[in-house]
Amino acid sequence: MSKRLSQLLLIPFLLFYASQVSAAEKEEQYIEDEIIYSLMVDRFNNGDTSNDGDGINYNNPKGYHGGDIEGIIRKLDYIQTMGFTTISLSPIFESDSFDGSSVHHLKKVDKHFGTINDVKRLVSEAHTRDMKIILQFITNNKDEQYIIETAKWWIEQTDIDGYYLKDTEKFSSQFWSKFSKEMKTLKRNFILIGDAERESSGNDLFLNGSFYKEASNVFSKPNQSIKSLLDQEIDSLSATFIDNEDEIRFTRKAIENKFHPGPRIRMALAYMYTAPGVPIIYYGTEIALDGGKAPDNLKMMDFQTREELIQYIEKLAKVRHSLPVLAKGNIELLYEKNGMAIYKRTYRNESVIVALNNTTETQKVMISNEEITENKELRGLLTGDIFHEENGHYEFILDRELAEVYEIKEQTGPNWPLISVFILVPGLFLLFLIIAKRRGTVR
C-alpha cells in the first residue's frame, strides 16, 4: 500500500478521534465558568414592530415598551462580544404584564414577545455561538406534576438550557429535588438557578442577595473596606449581582452618594469577575442605566451610548475566561486598608494576584514574597503593569479607582534579541555611511 493511500485512509479515523475529543471537551463544562447576562425581554430591544399590539408608551413605566425575542436575536453578537456565555430571560409566557409575572398560560408565548418558533430560533442562534438560553420559569400553579411536565415540555420543544426559579419557598425542598432530577434526566447539563439557597434543592446556583447589599454599600462610594464581602465566604456556586429586576439600580445608589457611577460600576464589576461566585449582569448595567424601585429600574435599553463600560466588561470577561483560577479558586486576603485591597486566588497549582484600589488616591503597597512567591514577575492583564520582586518584596502601585489582575510568571529579564536589534541596526547603518564616505574621498 502506498504512503499516499495510507494517509488518505487514516484521515477518517483522525477526524472521528478529533470529534470525540471535541465532544468530550464540551461535556467538561462547569457552572462556575459561566458569565450570565440577564434581561427584561420587553425592555431590551424591539426587533419586530408587528407584535407591538396597541402600540408602545415609553412614558408609562408599567406599559409595554416593545422589546421582543426577535430583538434579542438581533443583539446576540452584542451580548457575546462582552464575553457572556449565558442569557437569562424574564418570563415570556402569555401574561397581562410587561414583566411576564401575571401568567395565564405556561405553554404559550406572550404575543408581545413573539412565538414559540421565535424562541426556537433564539436558542438555535445562541447555540451556534456556544451560548446558552435560560428562561425564568413561573410556578403559580399548585399542581406539582403539571409544573414538572410543563417545564419538560419547554426543553423538548425549544432545547433551552436552564431555568431561573423564583419564589422557590412556595414548594418543598423535596419537590425541587424531584424537579431537578427530571430536568437533568432530560438534558444532562441543564442549569437551575434558585433565588435562595435551600438544602437538597438540586439547584446549581443560588442568587446571593446578601452580596448585592454588601457590594452596593462597598462600591457605590470609595474608601470602603471589602472585608464585609469576604466575611460572607461566598463560594463558586453563588450567583453574584449588583442589579436585578427587584432592586434599586446600582447607578442610583452611586448618584445618591454623589459619585460618578462609571468608576463605581467598574470597581464593583472588577470584584465580581475576580472573586468567588458566578457573575450575573443585568441589562443596562453596561451603560450605567439609572432607576429607583421597580418599575423605574426597568427602563428601555439604550444602545446609542458611550462604550467605556462595555469595553471594560469585555476585558474583564477575557481575563476571567483565560484564568480558571478566577472561577474555581479559593481567596486569600493579603492586604486591606480603607478600600485598597490585594488578594490571592489559588486553584490547584495556579495562583493570581488581584489588586483593587477603591480609594480616591494612588496607593503603594509592599507585599512580602513569602505571601506571593519568590523571584517571579507579576504581569498585569488589565492595565499592562509589569514588575519584579525586589529585596524580598513586591511593590504594588495603583492609581485611584483602578483594578488589576496579575499573572505570576518567570522573570523574563532584558529582551536581548530586541535590544541587539536596536543596537545592531544603527551600528550597521553608521558603518555603511563611513565606508561610503571613504570611498567617495578616495575617488
Side-chain angles (χ1 to χ4, degrees), residues 44 124 136 432:
F44 186 63
S124 176
Q136 182 176 326
F432 168 77

Side-chain angles (χ1 to χ4, degrees), residues 24-175:
E25 289 176 348
K26 288 183 179 180
E27 287 297 322
E28 292 299 318
Q29 295 178 345
Y30 299 95
I31 191 67
E32 299 99 317
D33 299 321
E34 304 294 336
I35 304 178
I36 301 172
Y37 188 82
S38 178
L39 57 85
M40 179 67 64
V41 176
D42 177 67
R43 303 301 167 88
F44 186 63
N45 186 37
N46 191 346
D48 182 3
T49 56
S50 69
N51 59 32
D52 289 349
D54 296 331
I56 56 179
N57 182 1
Y58 294 131
N59 295 321
N60 181 2
K62 294 185 178 181
Y64 286 95
H65 287 191
D68 48 36
I69 301 204
E70 176 63 32
I72 301 170
I73 294 173
R74 296 187 182 189
K75 291 297 181 180
L76 282 175
D77 290 339
Y78 164 83
I79 297 172
Q80 185 182 38
T81 297
M82 288 187 286
F84 293 102
T85 60
T86 298
I87 304 173
S88 178
L89 311 185
S90 60
I92 60 172
F93 317 111
E94 188 178 85
S95 169
D96 283 336
S97 56
F98 76 92
D99 62 357
S101 59
S102 178
V103 174
H104 296 314
H105 202 305
L106 279 174
K107 288 188 178 180
K108 290 184 179 180
V109 177
D110 190 280
K111 62 183 180 180
H112 294 90
F113 304 148
T115 67
I116 193 168
N117 286 331
D118 293 326
V119 179
K120 292 177 182 179
R121 194 157 51 89
L122 170 63
V123 173
S124 176
E125 289 286 344
H127 287 177
T128 62
R129 295 168 172 81
D130 290 326
M131 300 173 72
K132 303 178 181 68
I133 298 294
I134 291 177
L135 300 183
Q136 182 176 326
F137 192 77
I138 299 294
T139 55
N140 61 353
N141 190 302
K142 292 300 181 181
D143 186 338
E144 293 189 5
Q145 191 56 38
Y146 172 78
I147 290 173
I148 290 176
E149 289 177 356
T150 304
K152 291 171 67 175
W153 182 86
W154 276 98
I155 301 174
E156 294 166 342
Q157 293 294 315
T158 65
D159 197 27
I160 56 170
D161 305 289
Y163 285 129
Y164 165 43
L165 304 167
K166 203 171 181 181
D167 300 327
T168 52
E169 73 279 357
K170 292 180 180 178
F171 298 93
S172 67
S173 296
Q174 291 73 22
F175 168 76

Side-chain angles (χ1 to χ4, degrees), residues 148-330:
I148 290 176
E149 289 177 356
T150 304
K152 291 171 67 175
W153 182 86
W154 276 98
I155 301 174
E156 294 166 342
Q157 293 294 315
T158 65
D159 197 27
I160 56 170
D161 305 289
Y163 285 129
Y164 165 43
L165 304 167
K166 203 171 181 181
D167 300 327
T168 52
E169 73 279 357
K170 292 180 180 178
F171 298 93
S172 67
S173 296
Q174 291 73 22
F175 168 76
W176 289 120
S177 294
K178 179 182 179 182
F179 184 93
S180 173
K181 182 179 179 180
E182 294 276 359
M183 300 308 117
K184 292 179 182 293
T185 298
L186 199 59
K187 193 167 185 177
R188 179 182 171 188
N189 292 321
F190 200 75
I191 297 171
L192 294 173
I193 303 176
D195 62 347
E197 185 171 358
R198 299 179 58 152
E199 294 182 4
S200 305
S201 67
N203 290 334
D204 302 292
L205 281 178
F206 305 95
L207 211 62
N208 196 305
S210 60
F211 176 91
Y212 162 79
K213 294 176 183 177
E214 291 300 328
S216 296
N217 291 331
V218 169
F219 294 114
S220 61
K221 51 187 177 293
N223 306 314
Q224 305 299 307
S225 170
I226 69 167
K227 285 184 177 179
S228 60
L229 287 167
L230 295 173
D231 288 344
Q232 292 182 353
E233 297 182 354
I234 295 172
D235 61 25
S236 59
L237 298 182
S238 290
T240 57
F241 64 97
I242 57 170
D243 279 326
N244 76 3
E245 69 270 23
D246 299 318
E247 306 292 351
I248 294 172
R249 286 277 180 175
F250 182 90
T251 290
R252 176 63 57 89
K253 295 198 171 189
I255 292 173
E256 288 175 347
N257 288 326
K258 298 183 175 11
F259 289 99
H260 191 283
R264 303 290 87 232
I265 292 175
R266 285 199 297 271
M267 295 307 301
L269 294 179
Y271 183 81
M272 282 178 60
Y273 275 69
T274 61
V278 175
I280 297 184
I281 307 301
Y282 200 52
Y283 88 98
T285 300
E286 73 269 31
I287 61 168
L289 194 64
D290 184 24
K293 294 181 179 180
D296 185 54
N297 61 343
L298 304 173
K299 295 183 174 72
M300 195 68 183
M301 179 65 181
D302 182 3
F303 295 98
Q304 306 298 321
T305 59
R306 298 169 66 183
E307 297 186 349
E308 288 88 345
L309 267 176
I310 294 173
Q311 293 170 353
Y312 190 71
I313 290 173
E314 179 182 350
K315 187 180 292 186
L316 285 174
K318 287 180 179 177
V319 171
R320 184 177 172 92
H321 287 316
S322 67
L323 298 172
V325 63
L326 293 178
K328 303 180 178 70
N330 60 19

